[in-house]
Amino acid sequence: MGKSSAAGVDNTARRVWDKEEYAEKADKREKEAQEAEETALDIKKRKRLERDPLHQGLIVERSTLKMREYQLDLTSRIGKAQVIGLNTPLSQQAGYYCSVCDCVLRDSQSYLDHINGKYHNRALGMSMTVEKSTVEQVKNRLKMHKETASASNPEDYLPDGIDRRLAEAEAAAERERQERKRAKKEAKRGAEGEGEEGGGMDPDMMAMMGFGGFGSSKK
Ligand SMILES: [Zn+2]
């Protein structure tokens, strides 16, 4: 307004925006972005179906959720160093690798969440429904636990309810502590003894020369 810096040149006449054309372009760009997003989702969906035995026709019905029959090993790689490059296969990257779903989880918590989750268990041909237990099954289970409890060595328990192994471990720790104390004392005494000797000189000779041992002078 008023006097602009572009004095003398009036180019407003040439500035005609083709609104329709740009609206079209914007629409097109938006659509493309949406399509790209959909394909990423589609890929995920496709992979999910590829890993699902039900969708591959390998099974007719999903089984109910079953108990894990192997021991989880979450700690085997703790404290280990590993070189990871761009081309390192997924199974050797940092974290927990799931061979069923071919994915890496970054920590034990998310790994546990994954292997207990729907995606993973569906890939194993299971649904998330849990089989209803009968009274008989519960009874058998309780009986089994009772038997395993009574099978543990009764000598491990002292009459006053203290575990013998625990008491022994405590005694061993105490012994070790005393041992260390004694070793420390001896080392100290040894160092003082060296000082007294004054580099191998005879104590009598040193006394004659007018200076007593360094160690004895302390007293
Ligand atoms: Zn998995």
Side-chain angles (χ1 to χ4, degrees), residues 96-112:
Y96 296 90
Y97 175 69
C98 175
S99 55
V100 178
C101 313
D102 192 34
C103 62
V104 168
L105 288 308
R106 290 300 175 205
D107 54 80
S108 60
Q109 189 61 61
S110 51
Y111 178 66
L112 283 173

Side-chain angles (χ1 to χ4, degrees), residues 1-199:
M1 282 108 202
K3 285 175 190 168
S4 70
S5 55
V9 182
D10 177 21
N11 61 358
T12 51
R14 285 189 283 140
R15 293 212 172 184
V16 179
W17 304 109
D18 193 342
K19 280 188 184 166
E20 261 179 42
E21 194 191 328
Y22 281 98
E24 223 168 79
K25 267 190 183 172
D27 270 354
K28 202 175 157 196
R29 198 164 46 225
E30 213 166 87
K31 224 178 257 174
E32 271 174 8
Q34 219 169 39
E35 264 167 29
E37 227 168 74
E38 270 174 14
T39 49
L41 250 175
D42 285 344
I43 288 168
K44 209 176 167 190
K45 203 173 174 185
R46 202 191 67 232
K47 276 194 174 170
R48 182 169 293 202
L49 292 186
E50 272 171 10
R51 295 194 197 293
D52 194 335
L54 186 76
H55 281 271
Q56 288 178 70
L58 295 174
I59 53 171
V60 188
E61 200 185 355
R62 287 188 214 283
S63 67
T64 51
L65 206 57
K66 286 194 198 79
M67 204 172 96
R68 219 175 8 250
E69 271 161 2
Y70 57 93
Q71 202 68 40
L72 275 180
D73 184 13
L74 297 173
T75 52
S76 64
R77 285 164 86 188
I78 283 180
K80 292 206 173 133
Q82 188 180 355
V83 179
I84 295 163
L86 282 174
N87 298 320
T88 313
L90 211 56
S91 58
Q92 284 159 36
Q93 275 180 18
Y96 296 90
Y97 175 69
C98 175
S99 55
V100 178
C101 313
D102 192 34
C103 62
V104 168
L105 288 308
R106 290 300 175 205
D107 54 80
S108 60
Q109 189 61 61
S110 51
Y111 178 66
L112 283 173
D113 279 346
H114 171 78
I115 59 170
N116 292 328
K118 190 165 143 189
Y119 181 49
H120 181 86
N121 283 314
R122 281 196 165 186
L124 289 173
M126 291 189 280
S127 70
M128 296 302 280
T129 48
V130 183
E131 190 193 348
K132 281 235 169 86
S133 303
T134 61
V135 180
E136 203 54 41
Q137 277 174 314
V138 173
K139 273 182 186 165
N140 284 341
R141 190 86 188 163
L142 286 173
K143 206 173 139 197
M144 189 198 89
H145 280 302
K146 206 174 169 188
E147 272 162 16
T148 49
S150 61
S152 63
N153 194 356
E155 279 177 18
D156 281 344
Y157 295 94
L158 297 178
D160 52 355
I162 301 166
D163 196 321
R164 186 175 58 85
R165 287 166 299 180
L166 244 164
E168 269 174 12
E170 266 170 22
E174 181 59 32
R175 258 204 307 281
E176 204 175 288
R177 208 162 28 236
Q178 295 293 343
E179 193 71 39
R180 238 178 309 163
K181 225 174 179 178
R182 202 177 314 130
K184 213 172 172 184
K185 239 182 209 169
E186 255 161 43
K188 206 173 169 190
R189 208 177 297 143
E192 275 177 4
E194 259 172 40
E196 262 170 32
E197 272 164 33

